[in-house]
Amino acid sequence: TLVGYSLGGNVAIQSIDQISEELGAKVNLITVSTPAFNAEGDAENPESKDGLNEHVQVVHQYDGVAGGLAGDSKTYNNGNTENYIVPDSEVPVSGTGARKGINAHTELPGHPKFDNYLKRVPTMNNPNGQ
């Protein structure tokens, strides 16, 4: 299982097939606030990754980096990804306007209420039994 935050999630996506090939196992992926790229054949689109088992994307509803400044979307629109949009009512971030969008990106991973939100994300299946 790979876990990546922001651009780290994009790097994890790029590495899936190589890791899968070297280990002989499918890879589970969890991305948090990762800019989503949905273009067919894009190196950062998990849909094109044969080595991917399951992918969960978690992003704050007001994230202005993952869904604007750095990517084409906050969520992935493919059959490999389960998207979770964190509502501000459950994990409130500071600021207003554009500042709230930046804060939603930077505050989410360390927010004291984020762990409670993550409890609703289902356990991933591992077809390799590992």
Side-chain angles (χ1 to χ4, degrees):
T1 298
L2 299 174
V3 179
Y5 163 70
S6 193
L7 181 59
N10 298 107
V11 172
I13 292 167
Q14 291 179 31
S15 68
I16 287 171
D17 285 338
Q18 181 179 356
I19 290 170
S20 177
E21 184 178 311
E22 288 183 20
L23 297 178
K26 294 275 189 171
V27 175
N28 288 327
L29 174 65
I30 301 167
T31 54
V32 178
S33 302
T34 295
F37 293 94
N38 290 297
E40 188 175 328
D42 190 298
E44 295 176 6
N45 181 351
E47 185 172 38
S48 65
K49 303 301 175 186
D50 294 330
L52 180 63
N53 180 46
E54 291 185 57
H55 176 208
V56 170
Q57 161 77 329
V58 182
V59 63
H60 195 278
Q61 78 176 85
Y62 291 126
D63 193 316
V65 176
L69 290 175
D72 66 357
S73 180
K74 289 181 196 180
T75 58
Y76 294 91
N77 56 10
N78 63 68
N80 294 340
T81 302
E82 256 187 272
N83 293 290
Y84 289 86
I85 308 295
V86 180
D88 195 57
S89 60
E90 293 186 40
V91 182
V93 295
S94 63
T96 58
R99 172 50 51 196
K100 188 170 189 92
I102 301 293
N103 291 350
H105 185 79
T106 59
E107 291 177 10
L108 180 64
H111 197 287
K113 293 186 175 185
F114 186 47
D115 63 333
N116 283 331
Y117 181 84
L118 287 176
K119 291 176 183 172
R120 71 183 60 184
V121 175
T123 303
M124 293 180 154
N125 296 317
N126 187 336
N128 304 305
Q130 300 172 357

